[in-house]
Amino acid sequence: MLRKVTVAQMNYDMQCSLPFLFLIGSLETFAKYTGRTSFERPLLNGVAYAQRVFHHEREMFESQQGWIMNTMKRELAPPQIEYAPVIFSQDTVSYLARIDMMSGEEDRENILRARTTGKAVLTNPFRLLGSNHLGVVLTFAVYRPDLPADASVEQRVEATIGYLGGAFDVESLVENLLSKLAGNQDIVVNVYDVTNASEAMVLYGPPSLDDQVPHLHVSMLDFGDPFRKHEMRYREKPPMPWSAITNPLGTFVIWMLLGYIICAAWSRYDKVSEDCRKMEELKTQAEAADVAKSQFLATVSHEIRTPMNGVLGMLDMLLGTDLTMTQKDFAQTAQMCGRALITLINDVLDRAKIEAGKLELEAVPFDLRSLMDDVISLFSSKSREKCIELAVFVCDNVPKVVIGDPWRFRQILTNLVGNAVKFTERGHVFVRVCLAENSNVEGNQVIHGTMNGKVGKVESTANGAFNTLSGFESADRRNNWQYFKLLLSDKESLLDDFDGENSNQNDSDRVTLAISIEDTGVGIPLHAQDRVFTPFMQADSSTSRNYGGTGIGLSISKCLAELMGGQISFTSRPFVGSTFTFSATLKRSYKDASADSSRSLSEALPTAFKGMKAILVDGRPVRSAVTRYHLKRLGIIVQVVNNMSAGHKVFSGLNGATILREKAAMLFIESDFWRPETDVQLLNSLREHKNGQLSDVPKVVVLVTSEADKDKYGSIFDIVMCKPLRASTIASCIQQLLKVEMPERKDNQNRPSFLRSLLVGKNILVVDDNKVNLRVAAAALKKYGAKVHCVESGKDAISLLQPPHCFDACFMDVQMPEMDGFEATRQIRKMEMKANEERKNKLASIEGSTFVECHLPVLAMTADVIQATYEECIKSGMDGYVSKPFDEEQLYQAVSRLVVGTTDSAV
């Protein structure tokens, strides 16, 4: 094994490799080739190739590569005349990928010298990126093939197309050579003068070595004398003879070593045992601390919610009295602040539950589209105040009914949509729901520029507006019209009459949804984007002062999305906007929603409006698709035109015959595409048809984003519809406009009257040790006609509920002195069981008698939302619970489930 290794030889190897490197077509190929040929460059730690890019070529280069150039500090590369981004790299230096080598002082100097001299240039020693070891970099300039051999400096600079570099990691190089030479074996080094090969002269090392021992390695030494030859030979050190360890001294040393090993092992065993004991103690302390933390949070929650229950309850009672406008405004403001405090408490408790791993998700069927409409309606007044577009769009292939946790799903949406509305002063907030696989496919096509030959740019219209919902630029280029058009073209041709619950049942029961919330607000500063999901952290101190909030909502949303089997991410550009996207894995529900007697209003609407035709005037494709989506949910067929001129042709063509042929019942016009000075002709034409008493004259509806526009357009159009659009609001307007008879619904939508029908005349016992809470609960129940009796302890409740009694239900506080609500409920169930046995025995001897078991519905009233879980209530014999402060929604859900049919429950 004979090889002479010099720097000159390594330079020659790299130059010979150049023709092959430029035949490589990808980073993976480059990495494989350089890895397989690394033996030809034993002194190099790795090889990389950087392309020369001018500033005017940067945008096209980054679009083609699909990434953005960074500096040595992993920051965005600042503008400069030219760049040298690394596009190919060996695996050992893969951390250099995407880095602009011009951003480093040593590398920049090396590059400039290499391309002007046309020779390999070596840097001074410096700390290498990645390993942080001392090293040097050897750089070659790569020129175009037509460069003449005697080129000038200017010609070489102009002909440069890239740079090939190799890194010498000195520390790793030395360690590698030593490990290769010695390994775990002892070696003996000898230096010979081999000018006369038959009589080699020993210049260094032991004079006598066994010639039969094979050489491990032989290297030539060049001392500058061309007539003399020298060799350095490495041999394995001969093993120690057994006689060296059989003498008394060797025996003593061995016993000493054995004793030391035994002593060290025993000491180590003692230390490990002590460490295990300490770990057990720390584990016990941590478990106790976790229990104490949960108890502390439960106590704090109870102590805060208890007085808040009284505050909000009394405010609700106050608002039910005769107040002046000023007094009512004060009371509503106080009520709003109290509810905000309750929301904050809930968020903190949710975060604590998530950290403790005690947050469990429900699995119930729910209507996804109705839930999206409900979330949007929460922020409708705020969006109208700001005059911004707020819209939701659900793709056709998304199932109508899914199984999951609707409350936690709504919580994520509420957090994200609330943030979007809060930080947006102009433009839009757009919520879009589609299947995750479709989102990935179409999104990748947009990013990689496969649509119509474009390179992933956000398309804009002739007047400079962007093809988005509101015409403002969005942070995520995948939400423009080109992406939206892909979703529509893939779905609408196959799913015009798609019903989610009747989709192909052979598919997997699980469905992964991708939900994006796009806004055109202030965006998130670059320096704050790393801590967006950190609890209680905001972009800066001014965010809390200007917009409010605690910074915990996004953290909870991230945890909930992960619990649902998904993840959350975002794209944000300062002063452009943000787009948050999260995914969630739910189950398909094949239940026929139409067979449910308690179906929602939107499910009954298509039967009333199905087959109607309408024309929509809107020049923004994304927005018109959203409006068409909502109308299509009602069964309305929509034709979209770009402007009023096109709409005028539809209505006035062929002397009015088109109207009769199309039979369009409605004309929807976006307010920003209404031009009074030019579009009045259409209205006049419509009025003429009205005067002619044509039955098929369409009604004209204008769509606005602000309540103030109602007065502006109210006298011109038949009706003014204020966005955001929802199926129920559109149906209400159309019903009012066209006098359409709505199908009767089987359930009661008027919850207050429904509650009254359930509670009127019922005898209800309220048990609470807090007098204020007693007054609040009693007032809430009396509001719906119930007869309420109040007691302040569990013992008093037991004495009143001794069979026979006259109560139809009991609302029981959980935390009370002497006897808590759980123990009181257990005693009540024991009394009921005994009374039922006695009645059953008495009625057994009477012929024709029927036995009805006595069971009093008991609902827990608790401010401790951590400990008073549903399972604990059921375990103690309760039928459910409502958390303090409870509102009409909670009361409706609890009472409608339990009180119906309990008129004869008393014994």
Side-chain angles (χ1 to χ4, degrees):
M1 188 188 313
L2 183 61
R3 181 174 176 84
K4 181 176 181 181
V5 180
T6 64
V7 173
Q9 178 65 38
M10 187 279 305
N11 293 347
Y12 175 77
D13 291 342
M14 284 189 67
Q15 290 173 346
C16 291
S17 302
L18 284 175
F20 297 96
L21 296 179
F22 289 104
L23 295 176
I24 295 170
S26 67
L27 178 61
E28 183 180 359
T29 309
F30 185 93
K32 289 182 179 178
Y33 175 81
T34 52
R36 293 174 180 174
T37 59
S38 60
F39 67 91
E40 297 181 357
R41 304 176 296 278
L43 302 181
L44 281 175
N45 186 45
V47 181
Y49 175 75
Q51 182 175 332
R52 186 184 187 187
V53 178
F54 290 95
H55 181 66
H56 67 273
E57 301 171 337
R58 176 175 178 173
E59 183 178 359
M60 182 177 67
F61 173 81
E62 290 179 341
S63 298
Q64 292 173 346
Q65 296 294 330
W67 44 259
I68 299 175
M69 288 186 278
N70 296 326
T71 64
M72 295 288 186
K73 298 180 179 180
R74 302 293 179 180
E75 298 174 351
L76 184 66
Q80 56 190 30
I81 298 176
E82 64 177 287
Y83 312 88
V86 175
I87 59 174
F88 300 135
S89 61
Q90 193 173 338
D91 288 338
T92 54
V93 291
S94 60
Y95 52 83
L96 294 176
R98 307 182 183 182
I99 291 180
D100 175 23
M101 303 308 294
M102 284 286 194
S103 62
E105 184 178 350
E106 291 288 343
D107 295 286
R108 181 183 180 86
E109 212 173 291
N110 224 31
I111 287 172
L112 297 178
R113 288 170 51 203
R115 74 184 187 188
T116 54
T117 61
K119 300 178 180 179
V121 177
L122 201 64
T123 64
N124 294 326
F126 67 99
R127 294 283 178 185
L128 296 175
L129 189 64
S131 65
N132 202 32
H133 295 165
L134 278 175
V136 293
V137 173
L138 186 68
T139 304
F140 294 88
V142 181
Y143 302 103
R144 290 196 299 268
D146 57 353
L147 181 70
D150 57 346
S152 63
V153 172
E154 291 78 10
Q155 288 177 321
R156 281 194 291 269
V157 171
E158 193 274 334
T160 303
I161 60 173
Y163 314 96
L164 185 69
F168 294 88
D169 190 334
V170 176
E171 184 174 338
S172 300
L173 178 64
V174 172
E175 292 176 355
N176 186 33
L177 289 176
L178 289 178
S179 65
K180 288 182 178 180
L181 290 175
N184 295 324
Q185 300 175 345
D186 293 330
I187 60 174
V188 178
V189 179
N190 280 71
V191 179
Y192 294 90
D193 185 335
V194 292
T195 305
N196 186 355
S198 60
E199 297 181 4
M201 182 185 300
V202 179
L203 298 180
Y204 175 80
S208 60
L209 285 174
D210 188 1
D211 291 338
Q212 295 180 356
V213 177
H215 299 308
L216 291 178
H217 193 77
V218 178
S219 295
M220 299 296 298
L221 295 178
D222 186 359
F223 292 107
D225 188 350
F227 300 102
R228 308 288 300 180
K229 297 181 180 179
H230 302 84
E231 284 182 0
M232 180 182 291
R233 299 178 184 177
Y234 306 90
R235 295 187 182 188
E236 184 177 357
K237 188 176 182 179
M240 181 181 295
W242 280 101
S243 59
I245 61 174
T246 55
N247 55 45
L249 180 61
T251 304
F252 174 76
V253 171
I254 290 174
W255 280 108
M256 288 292 292
L257 289 173
L258 288 174
Y260 175 78
I261 292 171
I262 294 172
C263 181
W266 184 261
S267 175
R268 178 65 178 171
Y269 173 77
D270 285 344
K271 184 179 179 182
V272 171
S273 300
E274 181 66 16
D275 290 342
C276 290
R277 186 186 63 80
K278 289 181 179 179
M279 289 176 63
E280 287 293 332
E281 291 181 357
L282 292 174
K283 179 178 178 245
T284 304
Q285 293 175 6
E287 291 174 348
D290 184 60
V291 173
K293 175 184 175 183
S294 298
Q295 291 176 346
F296 171 76
L297 287 171
T299 304
V300 170
S301 168
H302 183 272
E303 295 303 321
I304 294 178
R305 282 173 173 269
T306 298
M308 283 305 301
N309 179 52
V311 171
L312 294 178
M314 289 300 177
L315 285 172
D316 190 55
M317 293 168 60
L318 179 62
L319 288 170
T321 61
D322 293 332
L323 300 176
T324 64
M325 292 300 295
T326 303
Q327 292 170 336
K328 189 174 182 180
D329 179 61
F330 290 164
Q332 287 176 339
T333 303
Q335 190 180 51
M336 180 180 64
C337 294
R339 287 175 178 170
L341 179 58
I342 290 295
T343 302
L344 175 59
I345 295 172
N346 291 338
D347 287 343
V348 174
L349 292 176
D350 282 345
R351 182 70 196 179
K353 286 189 206 176
I354 291 171
E355 289 179 351
K358 297 180 180 179
L359 185 65
E360 297 182 0
L361 299 179
E362 298 281 347
V364 296
F366 64 94
D367 188 327
L368 181 64
R369 288 165 176 79
S370 297
L371 185 143
M372 301 299 297
D373 284 350
D374 292 342
V375 172
I376 291 298
S377 66
L378 295 176
F379 306 97
S380 57
S381 59
K382 197 68 176 177
S383 67
R384 291 166 186 170
E385 288 177 11
K386 293 187 173 185
C387 198
I388 61 176
E389 295 272 2
L390 176 59
V392 61
F393 179 87
V394 183
C395 291
D396 286 343
N397 59 351
V398 174
K400 181 178 179 58
V401 180
V402 293
I403 299 176
D405 193 328
W407 298 279
R408 296 302 181 183
F409 193 83
R410 182 197 302 264
Q411 185 176 1
I412 300 176
L413 283 170
T414 303
N415 283 334
L416 296 179
V417 177
N419 284 344
V421 174
K422 179 168 61 174
F423 291 104
T424 302
E425 298 297 332
R426 87 286 184 272
H428 66 266
V429 174
F430 184 27
V431 184
R432 179 179 52 81
V433 185
C434 64
L435 297 182
E437 53 266 28
N438 298 111
S439 177
N440 293 335
V441 171
E442 276 88 5
N444 290 334
Q445 290 184 10
V446 173
I447 290 179
H448 293 95
T450 60
M451 299 180 312
N452 300 330
K454 293 182 172 55
V455 192
K457 287 188 177 181
V458 180
E459 190 180 83
S460 60
T461 58
N463 59 1
F466 292 87
N467 266 333
T468 58
L469 182 71
S470 63
F472 285 83
E473 184 179 6
S474 61
D476 193 344
R477 66 184 61 173
R478 291 178 300 179
N479 275 5
N480 61 9
W481 170 239
Q482 292 294 328
Y483 175 45
F484 217 70
K485 189 163 56 176
L486 281 176
L487 290 176
L488 297 176
S489 62
D490 288 345
K491 314 304 184 291
E492 289 184 353
S493 60
L494 300 175
L495 303 169
D496 285 339
D497 298 319
F498 178 85
D499 190 0
E501 67 273 18
N502 294 325
S503 59
N504 187 4
Q505 298 189 12
N506 294 326
D507 296 338
S508 173
D509 285 342
R510 294 191 174 273
V511 56
T512 301
L513 303 180
I515 302 94
S516 68
I517 297 88
E518 171 189 277
D519 67 72
T520 56
V522 296
I524 304 173
L526 296 176
H527 68 273
Q529 294 187 4
D530 292 337
R531 59 174 186 264
V532 162
F533 297 108
T534 304
F536 303 105
M537 294 293 290
Q538 293 188 328
D540 51 48
S541 58
S542 64
T543 301
S544 180
R545 293 196 304 269
N546 296 335
Y547 300 99
T550 60
I552 194 175
L554 287 177
S555 172
I556 293 175
S557 298
K558 181 176 185 293
C559 295
L560 291 177
E562 291 171 352
L563 284 175
M564 292 181 183
Q567 56 186 359
I568 188 170
S569 61
F570 71 96
T571 301
S572 184
R573 293 163 59 192
F575 309 110
V576 174
S578 305
T579 300
F580 280 81
T581 303
F582 75 94
S583 58
T585 301
L586 306 173
K587 289 185 178 180
R588 296 178 184 269
S589 176
Y590 302 109
K591 179 182 178 182
D592 186 2
S594 62
D596 188 1
S597 61
S598 60
R599 58 180 181 168
S600 62
L601 175 64
S602 61
E603 293 170 346
L605 295 178
T607 59
F609 303 107
K610 188 172 183 180
M612 286 189 179
K613 295 184 179 180
I615 294 178
L616 171 64
V617 179
D618 190 358
R620 290 185 186 151
V622 175
R623 187 173 60 184
S624 63
V626 172
T627 305
R628 187 169 180 266
Y629 152 73
H630 287 290
L631 293 172
K632 185 180 177 183
R633 289 175 62 190
L634 303 179
I636 300 174
I637 302 172
V638 184
Q639 177 182 351
V640 181
V641 295
N642 292 331
N643 49 55
M644 287 296 297
S645 176
H648 179 73
K649 293 179 181 178
V650 172
F651 286 109
S652 61
L654 301 177
N655 296 324
T658 305
I659 298 177
L660 299 177
R661 187 174 66 250
E662 294 292 340
K663 294 184 181 180
M666 293 160 291
L667 170 64
F668 292 88
I669 304 174
E670 284 289 346
S671 58
D672 52 356
F673 280 86
W674 167 255
R675 302 292 182 267
E677 62 276 3
T678 58
D679 299 335
V680 162
Q681 182 179 0
L682 175 60
L683 281 182
N684 292 335
S685 175
L686 291 176
R687 290 192 179 101
E688 290 176 2
H689 286 302
K690 286 182 180 180
N691 295 333
Q693 298 181 350
L694 290 177
S695 59
D696 293 328
V697 174
K699 302 291 185 179
V700 183
V701 182
V702 64
L703 305 176
V704 299
T705 57
S706 173
E707 291 284 354
D709 292 334
K710 283 191 173 182
D711 297 333
K712 179 179 177 182
Y713 295 107
S715 61
I716 305 176
F717 300 96
D718 294 313
I719 196 168
V720 179
M721 190 180 299
C722 199
K723 292 186 279 189
L725 297 178
R726 290 182 298 149
S728 57
T729 56
I730 297 175
S732 178
C733 291
I734 296 176
Q735 181 190 12
Q736 177 185 351
L737 197 62
L738 301 179
K739 303 298 186 294
V740 178
E741 293 186 4
M742 298 293 294
E744 293 184 3
R745 302 189 54 213
K746 297 181 182 180
D747 62 327
N748 275 299
Q749 286 300 309
N750 191 345
R751 291 191 174 180
S753 62
F754 185 44
L755 276 174
R756 173 169 288 277
S757 68
L758 293 176
L759 293 176
V760 65
K762 298 295 171 75
N763 294 310
I764 296 179
L765 178 64
V766 179
V767 187
D768 199 318
D769 61 318
N770 187 291
K771 293 184 179 180
V772 176
N773 288 340
L774 279 177
R775 292 180 60 188
V776 171
L781 294 170
K782 288 178 181 179
K783 179 180 176 182
Y784 301 104
K787 298 176 182 179
V788 182
H789 187 82
C790 300
V791 294
E792 297 181 4
S793 69
K795 290 183 178 180
D796 293 341
I798 291 176
S799 63
L800 288 175
L801 294 174
Q802 292 280 350
H805 59 78
C806 61
F807 294 102
D808 298 296
C810 175
F811 284 78
M812 180 82 69
D813 187 23
V814 172
Q815 292 188 1
M816 293 184 293
E818 297 183 8
M819 180 183 291
D820 61 19
F822 294 125
E823 179 60 28
T825 305
R826 281 191 284 267
Q827 296 293 333
I828 293 170
R829 296 308 181 208
K830 287 181 181 178
M831 293 188 303
E832 288 180 345
M833 186 181 299
K834 183 178 179 181
N836 287 330
E837 286 293 330
E838 293 177 354
R839 286 193 65 214
K840 186 175 182 180
N841 293 333
K842 288 181 180 180
L843 294 175
S845 60
I846 303 175
E847 295 183 1
S849 61
T850 57
F851 173 70
V852 179
E853 189 176 77
C854 172
H855 180 82
L856 177 72
V858 179
L859 293 174
M861 293 190 306
T862 176
D864 179 5
V865 295
I866 289 184
Q867 289 183 342
T869 60
Y870 183 75
E871 289 78 9
E872 290 181 78
C873 295
I874 297 299
K875 185 178 179 181
S876 64
M878 293 182 175
D879 299 280
Y881 78 95
V882 290
S883 61
K884 299 177 183 177
F886 59 85
D887 52 17
E888 183 181 289
E889 177 70 20
Q890 290 191 69
L891 196 61
Y892 169 80
Q893 291 179 355
V895 173
S896 62
R897 186 170 59 249
L898 298 177
V899 180
V900 175
T902 59
T903 306
D904 301 326
S905 63
V907 180

